[in-house]
Amino acid sequence: MSPKAAKFALPVLLVAPLYSWGFSYEAPAISPESESGYEEKPGWEAETFAVAAANPLATDAGYQVLKAGGNAIDAAIAVQMVLNLVEPQSSGIGGGAFLMHYDGSEVRAYDGRETAPQGVSGELFLEDGEPLEFNEAVASGLSVGVPGTLRMLGKAHAEHGELAWKELFTPAITLAEEGFAVSNRLHTSLESDEYLRRDPLASQFYYNDEGEPIAVGETLKNPALAEVFRRVAAQGSAAFYEGSVAEDIVERVQNHPERPGSLALEDINGYEALDREPLCTPWQQWEVCGFPPPSSGHLTVMQILGMLDQQSLLEAPLDNGAPSSTWLHQFLEAARLAFADRGRYIADPDFVEAPGGDWSLMLAPEYLEKRSELIGEMSMGDSAEPGNPGELAVSWASQPNQPEYGTSHISIVDEDGNAVSMTTTIEQAFGSRILSDGGTGLAGGFLLNNELTDFSFVPEVDGDPVANRVEPGKRPRSSMSPTLVFDQESGELVASLGSPGGAAIIHYTARTLVAMRDWGLNAQEALNLPHAITLGGEVYVEEDRFPEATLEALRERGHTVSERELTSGLQAIMRLDDGTLFGGADPRREGVVMGD
Ligand code: GLU
C-alpha cells in the first residue's frame, strides 16, 4: 500500500454533525483487527487537524471532538476516557500522565504523575532487608501511587478547554453503557496475564468461571466506569478525588490480601497536578520540547541525539531499510552513556537537585561533546560510567536497572494549530491488578496503577542514597517522552510524537526523531523501522527485523545481542512543508490516525 493512501482509518461512515452549541457523539461500528503483532499501516494525511491514539475507538472519539470544534485539549480528554475503557491495561483515571501542550505561542508541560503516599519510606519494597520479587511488588497494594491523570486533565481543561468538560465524557460513557467490541490486544493481554485473575472484581468482570478471558469481538459494557465518568463529567475531578470513589480506592489498597499499601484518603484528597517548565533543546534546524524531571525522557533522548550529532558516519545510516550496524553501534554506545547519567542523577526535582542546579547542564553541547569522545570502534559493554555535568549537593549512587512496561501515547494537532503530546500510563499492563468499581457496587471499574515500582527498590547502594528512592509525596522517575518539535527558524510546529515501552520509550523516540529529521522518512515510515535498545548491558534487537549480517557486525564490535519483541506504541503527527499533516501509528499495536 502506498503511504498517504488512506485518508480515514475506519471502514465506517462517520456522522458527526457540527452543532455550534456543542458536540453530539455517534458511536462508530468498528470491528477489532483480527491479529495483533506487526500490521502494516498506510500513514494518514489530513488537511488541518489530526489525532493519533492506540485504539480506533479512542482515535475516533478525539476525531469527533475536533470535528465539532473542540480543541486539542478537549480531544485529549475524550481520547483518554475511551482508552481507559477499551485499552484498560495501559492507562486511565487510576494512573498518571504527562501532557505537553502548545497553544500557538507557548509550550507547557502538565505533570499528572502519581505521588507516593505519606505513609511510605525508602524501604517500601524491601522485605527482611531484601528487594521484593518485582512482579510480587507490582501486583500488590504497595505499588499504588495517588492517581494524577484526571486532576491533570481538569487543570489543562480549565486553562485551555473549548468545549464543556461534561461533553468530553460522552463518547466513553456511551461506549461503556452500550458496550464495545473487545480488541485482540485486550483479549491477548488478559489471556497472558498471570495476576489479574487474583483480583475478585477483575476476575468476575474480564474472565469466565474457567478463567478464560472475554473473547475478541465480544461486547463488553462497563457500568461501574460509566457511573464514575458520569459523576466526574457532572462534578469535575473532585468527584474522583473526594468522596466514595476515593474511599473505594483506599479500601482496596489498604485491604489487599497479600501486601496492603498505606495509601490514605488524605493522599488522594490532596493530589495536585503541576504545571512545569518544559525543556526545549535546539537540535540542528529543530527545537525539541519534552518533559523535564520527574521524567528522564527528554534529558536521555536529547543526550543520545546530542552525542550522535558529534559522530561522523562514513556510510549510509540505512542498510536495506533498517538502521546500519555502524549507526546502531553509535546509537547504542550513546545510549549506554546517557543511561549511566540517567541512573545516577534523574529523579523528582522537588526532592533532588539537578547537577549544577540546572537540568539543562546535562544537555550542554560541551558536555555532550566530551561524553561522545568516549564512543570508540568497540563497544564499552556494561562499563559506561556517569559523567559530571555539574556540581552535586549529594553524592548519589546509581540506581540498578529495573523492568518497566505498559502505557499509551496520544498525539493531536487541532485546526488552530494547538498541539498535544500526551503519554499516559498505569505502568505495567493492568497496573497493580487492583480493579476499583469506584464504590458503585456495579460491574467493572478502572484499574489502579503500580507506578511506585518506577522508584528504586533499594534506597541506597554502598551507603550512598539513590536519587530515585521512595519518599513520601515524591513522584517516581519516568521514561515517558511526550515530545513536540518546532522549526527553529520559523517557530512553527513540526511534529508531535511519543510512545509507551518503559525505559525503551527513550530509544524509540530518539530513533524516530533521527529518521524524521535526517533520513527523510515520513511519520509512518519513521516509526516502522526496526528497534534496537540497551540500558547499558545487553543489546536487544527487534525479532526478525534485522539482516543477520547487521547483528553479526554488532557482535564483532563487542555487543552482546539478542532478539526479542520490542512492542513500541509510537504515535506521530508531522506537519509537511505544504502545511498539511501526516500521521503515523505503530504497526506493532492497534493505533490509528484520523483527521480532516
Ligand atoms: N511507567 C513507565 C514510565 O513512566 C512507563 C511504562 C511503559 O511505558 O511501559 O516511564
Side-chain angles (χ1 to χ4, degrees), residues 98 113 295-296 342 404-408 423-428 451 454 476-480 499-503 505 589:
F98 292 135
R113 187 70 165 167
S295 185
S296 63
R342 171 186 180 267
E404 295 171 35
Y405 320 84
T407 309
S408 208
T423 312
T424 174
T425 183
I426 55 171
E427 213 310 273
Q428 258 205 16
E451 218 68 55
D454 273 358
R477 182 192 69 196
S478 171
S479 305
M480 295 193 291
S499 179
I505 290 172
R589 300 206 189 199

Side-chain angles (χ1 to χ4, degrees), residues 4-60:
K4 296 197 179 185
K7 183 146 190 174
F8 291 110
L10 308 176
V12 288
L13 194 65
L14 289 159
V15 191
L18 220 171
Y19 294 122
S20 57
W21 43 267
F23 151 67
S24 130
Y25 175 70
E26 191 90 17
I30 292 175
S31 31
E33 287 171 13
S34 53
E35 294 230 10
S36 218
Y38 191 97
E39 179 142 345
E40 291 289 343
K41 297 189 178 172
W44 293 265
E45 57 182 7
E47 287 295 316
T48 49
F49 66 84
V51 46
N55 177 286
L57 287 165
T59 300
D60 171 71

Side-chain angles (χ1 to χ4, degrees), residues 123-334:
E123 273 135 57
L124 181 67
F125 295 119
L126 299 184
E127 233 168 51
D128 304 324
E130 289 296 315
L132 280 168
E133 199 268 312
F134 192 76
N135 284 324
E136 291 299 325
V138 167
S140 84
L142 299 177
S143 67
V144 183
V146 183
T149 299
L150 259 182
R151 273 253 148 101
M152 180 197 80
L153 291 174
K155 182 175 169 64
H157 184 264
E159 290 170 15
H160 297 283
E162 192 82 40
L163 298 186
W165 168 260
K166 189 171 187 298
E167 292 186 304
L168 306 172
F169 289 77
T170 304
I173 293 170
T174 308
L175 293 169
E177 286 178 345
E178 293 177 3
F180 68 96
V182 168
S183 77
N184 192 67
R185 193 165 172 81
L186 173 54
H187 170 78
T188 46
S189 306
L190 286 165
E191 192 168 50
S192 59
D193 196 79
E194 284 177 43
Y195 297 91
L196 189 62
R197 292 172 178 86
R198 287 189 195 168
D199 181 79
L201 288 191
S203 72
Q204 265 176 34
F205 184 62
Y206 287 117
Y207 300 90
N208 66 16
D209 292 346
E210 280 76 54
E212 286 156 8
I214 180 156
V216 178
E218 218 169 293
T219 302
L220 184 64
K221 298 179 180 175
N222 192 329
L225 190 56
E227 174 58 23
V228 173
F229 282 158
R230 276 195 183 285
R231 292 187 203 161
V232 173
Q235 300 156 37
S237 66
F240 178 92
Y241 288 91
E242 290 157 28
S244 57
V245 177
E247 281 162 18
D248 187 72
I249 296 173
V250 166
E251 205 178 296
R252 289 180 198 280
V253 171
Q254 291 192 356
N255 294 311
H256 190 275
E258 280 101 34
R259 291 192 177 84
S262 66
L263 184 69
L265 208 49
E266 302 73 57
D267 294 316
I268 302 186
N269 295 163
Y271 181 85
E272 271 184 67
L274 303 174
D275 186 354
R276 292 195 187 274
E277 200 57 52
L279 291 170
C280 289
T281 310
W283 185 51
Q284 289 186 22
Q285 72 268 33
W286 286 359
E287 178 169 56
V288 182
C289 294
F291 223 89
S295 185
S296 63
H298 181 79
L299 288 173
T300 314
V301 166
M302 295 316 294
Q303 278 205 342
I304 295 173
L305 296 181
M307 283 186 257
L308 271 183
D309 270 1
Q310 304 285 335
Q311 301 287 311
S312 53
L313 199 63
L314 300 172
E315 63 199 64
L318 287 177
D319 175 9
N320 281 319
S324 71
S325 64
T326 313
W327 185 85
L328 283 171
H329 170 71
Q330 293 178 349
F331 175 72
L332 293 164
E333 294 300 281

